[in-house]
Amino acid sequence: MSAFNAIGEEREIDREEFTPGIEPQPTWCPGCGDFGVLKALKQALPEVGRTPEETLLCTGIGCSGKLNSYLDSYGFHTIHGRSLPVARAAKLANPGLEVIAAGGDGDGYGIGGNHFMHTARENHDMTYIVFNNEIFGLTKGQTSPTSPKGHKSKTQPSGSAKDPIRPLSLSLTSGASYIARTAAVNPNQAKEILKEAMEHDGFAHVDFLTQCPTWNKDAKQYVPYIDVQESEDYDFDINDRGEAQDMMYEAENVLKDGTVLTGRFYVDDERPSYQEEKQSLGEMPEEPLAERYFDDDYEWERSYDLLDRHK
Amino acid sequence: MADNELIWRIAGGSGDGIDSTSQNFAKALMRSGLNVFTHRHYPSRIRGGHTYVEIRASDEVVDSRGDGYNFLLALGDSFARNPKEDAYYGNEEVKPLSENLDDLREGGIIIYDSGLLDASEIPDFEERAEENNWHVFDLDLRSMAREHGREVMRNTAGVGVTAALLEMDLDEIENLMENAMPEKILEPNLTILHEAYDMMVEDYEFEHDLRIPTGEHDEEQVLISGSNGVAYGALDEGCRFIAGYPMTPWTDVFTIMSQHLPKFGGISEQVEDEIAAAALALGASHAGVKAMSGSSGGGFALMSEPLGLAEMSETPIVLVEAMRAGPSTGLPTKPEQGDLEHILYSSQGDSCRVVFAPGTPQEAYEQTRKAFEMAYNYQIPAIVVIDQKLSGENQNVPASAFDRDPNPSLGPTLTEEQLEDAPHDPTGKFQRFSHDDPNDDGVRPRSLPGQKGGRFLVTGNEHNESGHIEEDPDNRITQMDLRMKKLESIREDLDSDPETSSQTYFGPDEADYGIVTWGSSQGAVREAVERLNDQGHSVKAIGVSDLMPFAETEVTEFLESVDEALVVEMNATAQFRGLTQRELGQFGEKLTSLLKYDGNPFEPAEVVEGFEIQIAGNEEAPTANTRLEPAVSD
Ligand SMILES: Cc1ncc(C[n+]2csc(CCOP(=O)(O)OP(=O)(O)O)c2C)c(N)n1
Ligand code: SF4
């Protein structure tokens, strides 16, 4: 189909292809964890074998939302909290695209929390990266849904009375089929995890710990981190829901005390993606819907029977 | 008032099958050669609660419910029968009879199901019947239905009795029942139909003179609602993606689309909320599929965010706003035209959208197609405004009125070959938001994700030619002007062919007085204009559909040609009059408003009466349920 030649192209992809030549330079603060995500993503994408042109990166609003400005691919910088619904429809409309959504913890777990829960539930075949810096960055340092209890900020001067969100556990109960946590300070692991997430056939959620040296000075820089797959101390079956759940619960608890557990927490390769479920019900065409509009042989005139039942 | 008309009202409890029965009966009347219009009244309750459907049938054109009615079939509310719930339902059971008497015309017919209803519980029923010369038949339809099938088949018995009383052939009715019913329930229903018919003919004397009108169509007709019109317009125009969240009355369009889309190779998504719904439509459209979403007032409020994103990112989408009475959840099952300003201006920044408000099911079809055409050709969100009245009311339309040529065009979209020659920035990004305006209409052709050579960024922030965030003042002005220019281009485009104007005119070409209305109030106005002219007044009317960009030339010409005008709309603050004055900057002193916001649509007589009072220079409210608001200068 001539309209989307870029899709499914078989060729070696050069790392530099995802890097804009000159403008724009990232406007993130020096030392910001967001650089780590960008770097890991640029490294992972070529290894997944996707070209910049078959990649669509949808972001929300926040410092994190600017990610796609610095990556050469198709990009839709949406609105606060809404990257997921835009992204998942683009994937349904054209499953040939590699669709990634990204945003901050305020964006993803706060204002967009409802979409997170439902996208995971439906198990859309896409990757979701949440830049978790435990703070609102772009709006200058307010308490976010992942900020620890007692966290003081200008809008919560006496300290937050709320327990933080448990993103991993929330993801699991909502239905994500790939759940991992990594950290910007750990580029190699981050790259591997992003690569797996993109290759995973279903909703892959990566809680990406990113430091915000500007507004969250007290916060840990997420070092030293422990890779649960590498460490002898943690032995659990990532395909087992129950064991994964316990492991996530522990990871979320110990983060409060400064122990950073990263790695893969849950992988379900069996569960069909939403697209597969919909296709098996006959509610989604096998061929990409977007291609129909360029297919001269496609029969558009089947609407004639619409009026019959009204005669 | 058509001289020769039947207005049949079937009343019962919500969930008693009133809808399906009346749908079949209306179709039978249409097939017998009559023009029909159906009006549905129901409470915001799932089961039980007084509800009715009215079918107006005449050999003349009918596009409103008319004034009053002349045949009542009161079936009783079977859901009010639970004795334990007496406390809640009170006198609910007799409501299908008692609540409907006010509008029944003199000499009308009443059939009530004595199996469920007891007329003696209604004070002064006898006197009123006598006074109004009503012909009353108490029939135990419930027992008849029970004997041959199930109690719910009371409906069928009622139709059989109606046919007998009006001397109507059963053929069409049987035919329709055969098509609509599975074998198992068809047999008992047919038995009941005939039993009821024969009983009437054999056991009763008819003294009334109401008979079924006769008429003939010169071409094949279909009976459709505004929701059907919107959905079929979307499908024929190539819409293959819908996302929604249920809300009355938008649910009708959503349901019809969801049932058909898979058959057309399309996708329907019921999602978590309306913000998501509109955002999904954006995502699908961005990826290269014609997409729509929609809601009613409250849900549309949630969509104002993605709607603004569509304006800024220049992503085509079509949204439907099926209005119901507000504010807030308001009257969930009642119509109003109160969301106009919300639809025109919701979302931050200057509004850059197309808004059409069709007045009939046929216009709903045509204007939904037009909305898609404008949205995709100009990369702008387009909104189709209907309301609870238009969405639920059915009307016959000639089948040939539907131009069913498919239109799969996505509008100005470049092929990969064309992208090779398109402007790119030094990083290789396609300049999708180029400052060059190739056709001088504000539209820059787009590429689609997945196309070679088409990479660009799109954002809800102000952006430069490649789509990167950019706050430079000169760039801001250029981008803003190009986006706003699309509205002018659309206006020119819409004006270029008067043949396809969306405005509808009624009455003589030249007249002293004008009536201006919009959306679904059009039907009542059309009929009022006919009556006023018959009474010797000189009146014409315009039904305005193009709300943004506003039908400036047409409305100006219309208002210049009349001495005074009445603006008819269903809201309390004269929103459309305000829009007209604001858009045209004149005519304020010529415009008097006739407003109604009690939850019921205008009846033609209310418009007639309002108009007569306006001419008499009287500012008094014409009826208890409408309000006249005098003209004020600009
Ligand atoms: C509807 C809406 N509400 C609020 C904002 C303001 N806002 C912009 S970014 C942001 C929070 C960003 O925090 P986070 O998502 O954690 O991302 P970060 O900046 O830390 O990467 C807020 C509240 C907005 N743009 N839109
Ligand atoms: S404010 Fe924080 S999150 Fe934003 S760029 Fe600066 S360091 Fe990064």
Side-chain angles (χ1 to χ4, degrees):
Chain A
M1 207 111 348
S2 76
F4 300 102
N5 273 331
I7 291 180
E9 213 180 352
E10 292 276 337
R11 63 174 174 86
E12 278 286 298
I13 295 152
D14 185 341
R15 237 193 82 182
E16 299 305 312
E17 282 189 46
F18 285 92
T19 308
I22 19 171
E23 291 282 342
Q25 290 304 311
T27 54
W28 293 319
C29 313
C32 174
D34 294 7
F35 287 102
V37 187
L38 179 61
K39 188 170 167 206
L41 194 58
K42 277 185 184 167
Q43 287 179 340
L45 271 164
E47 290 195 19
V48 178
R50 309 309 295 246
T51 66
E53 292 170 317
E54 57 189 346
T55 306
L56 175 64
L57 176 56
C58 297
T59 57
I61 297 288
C63 298
S64 47
K66 299 200 171 144
L67 180 73
N68 49 13
S69 306
Y70 315 131
L71 186 90
D72 252 353
S73 71
Y74 277 95
F76 201 144
H77 181 224
T78 67
I79 36 181
H80 200 35
R82 316 298 169 206
S83 63
L84 284 173
V86 173
R88 70 196 209 218
K91 182 71 182 183
L92 290 173
N94 192 348
L97 297 170
E98 178 66 35
V99 175
I100 305 163
D105 45 81
D107 187 269
Y109 304 145
I111 191 167
N114 195 23
H115 308 310
F116 174 49
M117 191 167 92
H118 286 275
T119 313
R121 164 168 88 107
E122 291 167 8
N123 198 32
H124 286 268
D125 180 15
M126 56 180 286
T127 301
Y128 186 36
I129 307 168
V130 181
F131 294 51
N132 185 356
N133 56 11
E134 301 185 358
I135 198 92
F136 281 9
L138 194 70
T139 44
K140 308 199 169 173
Q142 299 81 4
T143 308
S144 94
T146 47
S147 302
K149 189 170 183 175
H151 179 265
K152 287 188 182 171
S153 69
K154 284 185 188 154
T155 50
Q156 265 151 296
S158 312
S160 164
K162 304 171 194 186
D163 266 332
I165 281 248
R166 294 176 169 273
L168 305 173
S169 304
L170 180 64
S171 188
L172 185 75
T173 20
S174 301
S177 53
Y178 180 98
I179 304 165
R181 170 177 269 172
T182 186
V185 289
N186 184 9
N188 293 333
Q189 184 205 42
K191 185 198 89 179
E192 286 306 318
I193 282 182
L194 287 183
K195 189 178 150 197
E196 278 177 19
M198 287 187 273
E199 282 168 347
H200 175 76
D201 188 12
F203 186 67
H205 167 220
V206 179
D207 185 62
F208 207 122
L209 300 172
T210 53
Q211 65 279 12
C212 172
T214 306
W215 302 111
N216 210 5
K217 287 196 177 58
D218 301 340
K220 313 126 278 218
Q221 300 294 300
Y222 306 121
V223 273
Y225 67 88
I226 299 163
D227 184 328
V228 290
Q229 263 82 39
E230 297 292 314
S231 163
E232 306 250 311
D233 299 341
Y234 302 96
D235 181 27
F236 71 105
D237 178 358
I238 55 167
N239 301 124
D240 184 292
R241 259 192 115 77
E243 290 187 28
Q245 191 170 347
D246 292 343
M247 197 55 231
M248 289 175 186
Y249 198 78
E250 181 174 349
E252 285 156 344
N253 276 352
V254 296
L255 188 66
K256 293 177 197 158
D257 321 321
T259 309
V260 187
L261 299 186
T262 63
R264 297 106 180 125
F265 286 86
Y266 182 63
V267 181
D268 179 357
D269 285 320
E270 306 293 309
R271 185 176 171 200
S273 70
Y274 185 62
Q275 173 188 330
E276 285 162 350
E277 297 275 17
K278 254 186 113 76
Q279 280 172 341
S280 73
L281 289 172
E283 296 217 325
M284 179 172 163
E286 299 287 333
E287 294 291 309
L289 194 44
E291 288 186 1
R292 295 267 161 91
Y293 293 84
F294 299 91
D295 183 350
D296 293 337
D297 297 329
Y298 182 67
E299 178 62 78
W300 283 88
E301 299 189 50
R302 269 177 284 164
S303 46
Y304 281 100
D305 57 4
L306 277 175
L307 294 180
D308 277 353
R309 42 196 268 188
H310 300 280
K311 284 178 178 162
Chain B
M1 199 177 318
D3 302 328
N4 188 19
E5 69 177 2
L6 166 72
I7 304 184
W8 184 79
R9 185 184 283 194
I10 178 173
S14 255
D16 271 336
I18 303 278
D19 245 1
S20 52
T21 309
S22 55
Q23 187 77 9
N24 262 342
F25 189 50
K27 235 187 226 181
L29 293 167
M30 175 183 82
R31 286 186 180 184
S32 77
L34 296 168
N35 292 309
V36 292
F37 183 90
T38 73
H39 166 77
R40 156 171 89 136
H41 168 103
Y42 59 108
S44 185
R45 206 163 114 179
I46 308 304
R47 282 187 179 269
H50 169 236
T51 171
Y52 67 77
V53 176
E54 237 172 53
I55 301 173
R56 186 180 187 195
S58 166
D59 55 339
E60 291 172 31
V61 177
V62 283
D63 49 14
S64 77
R65 60 185 293 197
D67 310 308
Y69 68 105
N70 52 20
F71 194 123
L72 173 65
L73 172 59
L75 292 176
D77 181 348
S78 69
F79 294 98
R81 293 183 59 74
N82 185 349
K84 276 194 209 133
E85 296 188 43
D86 261 354
Y88 298 104
Y89 289 128
N91 64 353
E92 206 78 337
E93 194 172 303
V94 291
K95 271 192 179 172
L97 185 54
S98 62
E99 290 276 299
N100 289 301
L101 298 176
D102 287 351
D103 297 333
L104 183 60
R105 293 184 196 162
E106 239 183 77
I109 297 176
I110 298 178
I111 299 170
Y112 72 87
D113 185 353
S114 57
L116 268 172
L117 291 167
D118 183 358
S120 68
E121 283 178 27
I122 304 168
D124 69 13
F125 178 70
E126 297 270 319
E127 293 102 87
R128 289 181 73 178
E130 202 160 313
E131 232 169 71
N132 288 294
N133 191 23
W134 290 332
H135 304 268
V136 183
F137 299 86
D138 58 328
L139 307 167
D140 189 356
L141 303 177
R142 181 172 169 233
S143 302
M144 185 185 292
R146 256 193 197 159
E147 197 178 310
H148 299 284
R150 285 187 298 129
E151 193 174 319
V152 285
M153 297 176 185
R154 297 181 347 266
N155 292 337
T156 305
V159 171
V161 169
T162 303
L165 279 167
L166 298 173
E167 293 179 8
M168 198 182 154
D169 229 21
L170 287 182
D171 289 359
E172 283 301 357
I173 300 171
E174 281 176 306
N175 232 325
L176 281 158
M177 280 168 51
E178 276 159 23
N179 288 339
M181 291 178 182
E183 195 69 41
K184 227 172 69 209
I185 61 163
L186 176 67
E187 275 311 311
N189 268 294
L190 286 175
T191 312
I192 292 168
L193 183 76
H194 282 280
E195 179 102 352
Y197 187 93
D198 295 343
M199 169 192 78
M200 224 46 220
V201 176
E202 284 157 21
D203 303 351
Y204 290 85
E205 298 259 322
F206 306 158
E207 287 161 19
H208 58 273
D209 45 19
L210 185 65
R211 292 292 176 273
I212 194 82
T214 52
E216 208 179 321
H217 295 297
D218 41 21
E219 53 176 316
E220 193 175 31
Q221 305 285 312
V222 289
L223 183 66
I224 68 160
S225 68
S227 293
N228 290 131
V230 170
Y232 298 171
L235 286 163
D236 283 348
E237 195 62 21
C239 171
R240 292 296 178 270
F241 188 96
I242 192 170
Y245 188 85
M247 184 167 187
T248 305
W250 140 259
T251 310
D252 283 357
V253 174
F254 186 30
T255 309
I256 300 167
M257 288 296 279
S258 303
Q259 282 165 358
H260 288 293
L261 265 173
K263 293 185 269 175
F264 285 78
I267 298 176
S268 165
E269 282 285 286
Q270 182 183 317
V271 296
E272 58 270 29
D273 58 33
E274 287 86 351
I275 309 177
L280 261 97
L282 270 179
S285 176
H286 182 67
V289 173
K290 283 191 175 172
M292 82 192 284
S293 182
S295 190
S296 297
F300 187 77
L302 294 186
M303 292 182 168
S304 65
E305 249 195 340
L307 173 62
L309 179 60
E311 295 178 323
M312 184 52 121
S313 66
E314 305 192 48
T315 310
I317 47 164
V318 173
L319 298 178
V320 177
E321 220 270 39
M323 300 181 291
R324 62 194 219 186
S328 194
T329 25
L331 300 170
T333 61
K334 304 288 174 63
E336 199 168 271
Q337 298 178 297
D339 294 351
L340 176 62
E341 300 196 332
H342 178 52
I343 292 164
L344 292 173
Y345 311 118
S346 62
S347 195
Q348 60 272 42
D350 295 301
S351 281
C352 184
R353 64 193 68 167
V354 180
V355 182
F356 293 124
T360 62
Q362 185 182 336
E363 287 186 3
Y365 177 85
E366 289 160 359
Q367 291 173 27
T368 303
R369 296 202 64 159
K370 216 179 254 190
F372 271 94
E373 197 186 318
M374 293 304 134
Y376 281 78
N377 283 349
Y378 293 91
Q379 302 172 352
I380 195 170
I383 302 167
V384 180
V385 187
I386 56 173
D387 60 26
Q388 188 272 345
K389 170 177 149 60
L390 183 53
S391 85
E393 290 175 342
N394 286 277
Q395 195 184 339
N396 63 298
V397 181
S400 65
F402 299 87
D403 158 24
R404 280 166 290 172
D405 273 348
N407 179 18
S409 161
L410 290 174
T413 308
L414 299 178
T415 62
E416 292 188 339
E417 293 74 48
Q418 289 168 324
L419 275 166
E420 281 174 24
D421 301 324
H424 286 79
D425 72 10
T427 72
K429 277 212 167 72
F430 162 55
Q431 297 193 307
R432 187 249 180 275
F433 301 101
S434 165
H435 287 181
D436 289 336
D437 179 12
N439 298 313
D440 196 28
D441 58 359
V443 183
R444 283 73 54 86
R446 60 175 180 149
S447 64
L448 302 173
Q451 282 185 310
K452 238 185 187 154
R455 281 184 295 106
F456 71 96
L457 186 69
V458 54
T459 165
N461 284 56
E462 189 56 271
H463 43 268
N464 68 14
E465 296 183 275
S466 320
H468 285 292
I469 296 175
E470 171 69 73
E471 300 193 342
D472 171 69
D474 293 335
N475 175 70
R476 160 71 178 176
I477 293 170
T478 309
Q479 295 290 6
M480 196 66 199
D481 289 348
L482 284 169
R483 284 191 296 270
M484 299 311 293
K485 189 170 174 186
K486 295 193 283 187
L487 281 177
E488 264 167 60
S489 318
I490 292 169
R491 186 69 263 153
E492 279 166 28
D493 191 348
L494 291 172
D495 282 341
S496 63
D497 184 1
E499 290 283 296
T500 61
S501 161
S502 303
Q503 280 52 254
T504 316
Y505 297 90
F506 308 111
D509 290 344
E510 307 276 330
D512 300 337
Y513 294 93
I515 300 182
V516 187
T517 192
W518 67 283
S520 75
S521 298
Q522 199 174 290
V525 166
R526 186 201 58 79
E527 193 167 333
V529 166
E530 234 167 66
R531 288 191 212 170
L532 286 165
N533 283 298
D534 285 349
Q535 288 167 22
H537 293 291
S538 168
V539 189
K540 63 179 184 174
I542 182 172
V544 182
S545 291
D546 297 358
L547 305 182
M548 188 183 281
F550 193 71
E552 195 180 317
T553 320
E554 286 168 276
V555 181
T556 305
E557 276 172 15
F558 181 88
L559 289 175
E560 273 170 352
S561 73
V562 294
D563 300 336
E564 258 185 85
L566 188 68
V567 188
V568 177
E569 56 183 321
M570 285 188 276
N571 59 55
T573 53
Q575 297 184 29
F576 182 75
R577 179 172 83 174
L579 174 70
T580 307
Q581 269 182 265
R582 196 158 53 243
E583 287 285 338
L584 306 182
Q586 53 173 334
F587 302 122
E589 69 292 342
K590 270 192 187 182
L591 306 175
T592 299
S593 281
L594 180 66
L595 305 171
K596 187 172 183 187
Y597 46 91
D598 69 346
N600 292 301
F602 276 103
E603 290 169 20
E606 291 171 325
V607 180
V608 168
E609 201 182 330
F611 195 82
E612 283 166 345
I613 291 174
Q614 188 209 354
I615 292 170
N618 196 335
E619 283 162 19
E620 221 171 85
T623 66
N625 294 346
T626 61
R627 183 157 69 84
L628 267 178
E629 201 170 276
V632 282
S633 57
D634 306 292

